[in-house]
Amino acid sequence: MVRQNAVRVYFGGSGGQNAAVKLVWKLELGPVRGARVGRFRRAFNTTVVCYRLGDVLIDCGPPNQFGAVREFASHAPLSRVVLTHHHEDHCGNAARLARELEVPVLAPAASLEPLAGGFPVQLYRRLVWGVPKRVSARPLPEEISVEGGFRLQPIAAPGHSADMTCLLEPRQGWLFAGDLYVTGRPRYLRSDEDVGQTIASLRRLEGLSFDTLLCAHRGSLKKGPERLRKKREYLEQLRGAARRRHRAGDTLEVITRALLGREDFLSWFSGFHFSKRNLVRSCLEGVNSETDSNHPGGNPERGARLG
């Protein structure tokens, strides 16, 4: 059984241009190591956890935290950087680590083009994370062999992004979940996320045999399948409530305010790229054409209510 052995506060970074770089904390969970980094350290969703298993680094943090990430990555020889998806808080230091540590970068096949060609980064994301340098990555193999006899199995989990991929260590019962989980009751969504795909991914992964969910923002969480199931159920209930109101004639704005409340600072700060209305809008996609036959075993939203 995997146990969390120690969590300690640790401030890293050196002088000069990296003086403001902070390593918020380091996680030790058996052979798994984690380092939480971020410019704004008061909230888990403005920091990110980079994990290390043996000679593999899983996600490499935002570009404005390179000093702390490099320090964490350099404690022992590294053979590969593995990415769960292409967003800047996960891929942000891949190019510099590949160059300075002379290691390859592995990523989901759908990540290769945005990693090599670049992708839009809105102003709020530039302020929080920075803009990553472009990097040429190799596609993830069917299985990744890791120092110490560990094996990581990539599992596609689209929704948060088209390329979102989790990594399962089946014998140890660990799921490196990237941004699949983050929170069990989301109230905001990026404009490019897909609630339907997320629900399908949660349903598929909650059926896997594992216990420890290693989230890129929340850290190590026990009872992983149960957490994924509860998030799926919440999203299904939210989607059901939104669609009932839509069929009753409510507008997007009315539905959003009724179910999630008024838009607030996060929505305005992001220019509504990350907002409550995005979550409701995604819940309503396909509502006019959907029938109960779309759902095996009936409609999971029938009779659902938000708790």
Side-chain angles (χ1 to χ4, degrees):
M1 179 177 179
V2 180
R3 293 182 178 179
Q4 184 167 304
N5 296 325
V7 177
R8 59 183 183 274
V9 176
Y10 176 105
F11 295 100
S14 55
Q17 64 179 2
N18 290 325
V21 171
K22 302 294 184 183
L23 184 59
V24 180
W25 55 246
K26 292 182 71 178
L27 169 76
E28 296 180 1
L29 188 66
V32 178
R33 299 292 183 267
R36 181 184 294 279
V37 298
R39 172 178 286 172
F40 302 101
R41 300 181 287 129
R42 290 184 178 273
F44 65 80
N45 57 347
T46 57
T47 59
V48 65
V49 183
C50 307
Y51 290 104
R52 178 164 184 154
L53 177 62
D55 56 348
V56 170
L57 182 67
I58 301 172
D59 287 334
C60 57
N64 62 21
Q65 300 296 298
F66 176 71
V69 174
R70 192 189 193 289
E71 181 178 342
F72 174 67
S74 302
H75 285 170
L78 194 70
S79 71
R80 286 152 293 178
V81 174
V82 175
L83 305 179
T84 59
H85 60 299
H86 75 278
H87 289 164
E88 68 280 356
D89 50 331
H90 296 258
C91 79
N93 297 299
R96 294 185 67 179
L97 290 174
R99 183 178 67 251
E100 296 190 17
L101 302 183
E102 299 182 342
V103 294
V105 176
L106 307 182
S111 303
L112 303 186
E113 183 175 342
L115 289 173
F119 52 91
V121 180
Q122 291 75 21
L123 178 60
Y124 80 100
R125 295 163 62 189
R126 293 170 182 252
L127 292 173
V128 175
W129 305 121
V131 180
K133 295 182 181 297
R134 300 179 182 187
V135 61
S136 295
R138 303 175 185 175
L140 290 171
E142 292 185 1
E143 183 174 279
I144 303 168
S145 297
V146 181
E147 181 184 61
F150 302 109
R151 297 180 294 115
L152 295 174
Q153 298 175 356
I155 302 173
H160 172 71
S161 63
D163 58 337
M164 179 65 235
T165 299
C166 298
L167 301 166
L168 176 69
E169 213 305 338
R171 290 181 295 184
Q172 301 297 325
W174 305 327
L175 183 72
F176 295 90
D179 283 352
L180 175 66
Y181 181 71
V182 184
T183 177
R185 297 177 67 86
R187 299 179 63 80
Y188 307 83
L189 202 72
R190 287 167 48 120
S191 61
D192 53 357
E193 293 187 70
D194 187 311
V195 166
Q197 286 188 344
T198 296
I199 289 173
S201 293
L202 290 167
R203 184 183 298 277
R204 186 169 61 255
L205 272 78
E206 73 186 46
L208 298 178
S209 179
F210 71 98
D211 179 64
T212 303
L213 189 154
L214 294 153
C215 177
H217 293 278
R218 293 291 298 276
S220 173
L221 301 169
K222 304 300 286 184
K223 298 182 179 180
E226 179 180 344
R227 290 177 182 272
L228 297 185
R229 175 183 59 79
K230 288 182 177 180
K231 178 174 181 176
R232 171 184 56 81
E233 291 174 348
Y234 164 81
L235 288 174
E236 287 178 340
Q237 291 168 8
L238 179 65
R239 185 170 65 175
R243 292 181 173 189
R244 285 191 296 274
R245 285 181 172 271
H246 173 78
R247 293 184 180 111
D250 287 350
T251 64
L252 175 64
E253 289 72 21
V254 169
I255 298 171
T256 301
R257 187 173 298 181
L259 298 181
L260 300 172
R262 294 178 180 272
E263 301 284 6
D264 52 25
F265 172 77
L266 284 178
S267 302
W268 291 96
F269 176 64
S270 70
F272 292 90
H273 180 261
F274 184 66
S275 69
K276 295 177 180 180
R277 71 179 64 168
N278 287 339
L279 178 51
V280 173
R281 182 183 291 112
S282 187
C283 286
L284 296 178
E285 288 182 358
V287 66
N288 293 325
S289 60
E290 183 177 86
T291 64
D292 288 359
S293 63
N294 295 132
H295 302 283
N299 189 347
E301 296 163 357
R302 177 174 289 158
R305 293 293 186 273
L306 291 178

